[in-house]
Amino acid sequence: MRVYTKGDDEASDLSIRLADDPDWRGSKSPELLVLHPDSVFVGEFTIGGEDPFDTVPESDLRIGPVFVRAEVGPWESILFLNQTECGEIRTMSFAERFAKSSTDELARVVRQATHPFREVIIGFRAPKPVNTSSGKWEVPAATEPVLEFASFPFRLAIIEELMFGQDLLTPRFDVHDFARDPGTPSFDPDEIGYESIPAVRDWFRELPIPTRLAEHVETLVLDGGNDVYLQLIPQWDGEDDSFDIEDLTADDLAPFTRLRAVDDIGGFLGPRARAALIDHGITVSS
């Protein structure tokens, strides 16, 4: 037998030679043969305690391939057909094999061979871990009246002030911690390009913002370096219109009775949004 390894000390696959196969060995170079077991295993070979034929799907045998697979729990066995004893299958064209695949003819050739399998490679396929969210970044359920926004970029400006400016809106979002959390859609914040991360965008869109916090908003600063923008696009340089506020409605502004000034450092306000703010008695500077 031969053991394949990953790294220095982890076995990945075990290869066992089950029968002699002169036709196969005669077609391979010495360099390739050295990668396979040299001697035949003389013991009884079973898969999960059963005859290999009882674990191989009948549909695989009917196709007449070079190998068949058997799976028992997390163990996978790849059984290579003996070319010497099952050679007539290999001399058939694909069209011939396909035509016979709906019958038992090819499976019968394999089953009637004295030593149908030349070699088996056995591997343990560890079940993929189930990533269960820690719950830390689940969007909290609303337990009181919340603000509604027609403009998502304006919602982000409010979140910037309440979450990152005043620490009144929780939890304080961290895109790197969010990405590491089990159950979160897989992404690397440092490899994201210049588009909003969908999972982060959805989180900010769904986050409940209690209506009572509106009275704490007195000024807004629209700057390309704001924390909320860099959570959505960590590599963002502030040079595009990703977070421009094109329009604002009276309903957007109505809850913010103490909002007195907006400092548009990044030039994010469109003409209609700027006019709506001014009409609402809010000072806009840039």
Side-chain angles (χ1 to χ4, degrees), residues 42-58:
V42 296
E44 180 185 6
F45 177 75
T46 62
I47 297 178
E50 300 181 22
D51 185 288
F53 279 120
D54 294 332
T55 61
V56 174
E58 187 68 21

Side-chain angles (χ1 to χ4, degrees), residues 137 152-178 200-201 203-205 207 209 213 216-217 219-221 223-234 243:
W137 294 112
F152 180 60
F154 184 59
R155 164 184 267 268
L156 294 178
I158 298 299
I159 290 174
E160 171 68 24
E161 175 62 18
L162 293 175
M163 179 180 291
F164 298 102
Q166 300 187 42
D167 289 322
L168 294 175
L169 183 62
T170 58
R172 186 183 178 96
F173 193 82
D174 183 321
V175 66
H176 289 86
D177 192 60
F178 179 80
V200 178
R201 184 181 62 240
W203 194 91
F204 280 123
R205 193 182 297 278
L207 178 68
I209 305 176
L213 294 182
H216 294 276
V217 179
T219 61
L220 293 176
V221 177
D223 186 349
N226 284 358
D227 286 296
V228 71
Y229 302 145
L230 299 180
Q231 303 300 318
L232 279 152
I233 312 178
F243 304 114

Side-chain angles (χ1 to χ4, degrees), residues 207-272:
L207 178 68
I209 305 176
T211 301
R212 60 180 170 78
L213 294 182
E215 66 179 32
H216 294 276
V217 179
E218 298 182 4
T219 61
L220 293 176
V221 177
L222 306 179
D223 186 349
N226 284 358
D227 286 296
V228 71
Y229 302 145
L230 299 180
Q231 303 300 318
L232 279 152
I233 312 178
Q235 307 302 319
W236 194 53
D237 57 10
E239 296 299 323
D240 59 43
D241 60 358
S242 296
F243 304 114
D244 283 6
I245 303 173
E246 298 294 346
D247 204 354
L248 287 171
T249 68
D251 289 339
D252 280 328
L253 297 174
F256 302 98
T257 56
R258 300 185 64 183
L259 177 58
R260 293 290 179 263
V262 174
D263 189 0
D264 186 18
I265 296 173
F268 293 167
L269 290 173
R272 292 191 303 275

Side-chain angles (χ1 to χ4, degrees), residues 42-113:
V42 296
E44 180 185 6
F45 177 75
T46 62
I47 297 178
E50 300 181 22
D51 185 288
F53 279 120
D54 294 332
T55 61
V56 174
E58 187 68 21
S59 57
D60 286 5
L61 291 174
R62 287 188 171 196
I63 297 173
V66 176
F67 62 85
V68 293
R69 295 178 185 270
E71 295 183 1
V72 177
W75 295 93
E76 178 187 59
S77 298
I78 302 176
L79 295 141
F80 293 86
L81 267 59
N82 192 323
Q83 290 187 20
T84 304
E85 298 194 24
C86 304
E88 62 184 278
I89 294 178
R90 296 182 59 80
T91 61
M92 296 178 185
S93 66
F94 173 79
E96 287 179 286
R97 294 204 310 271
F98 181 78
K100 297 176 185 296
S101 63
S102 60
T103 72
D104 291 328
E105 186 172 342
L106 300 180
R108 190 162 50 249
V109 171
V110 179
R111 289 185 178 279
Q112 290 178 348

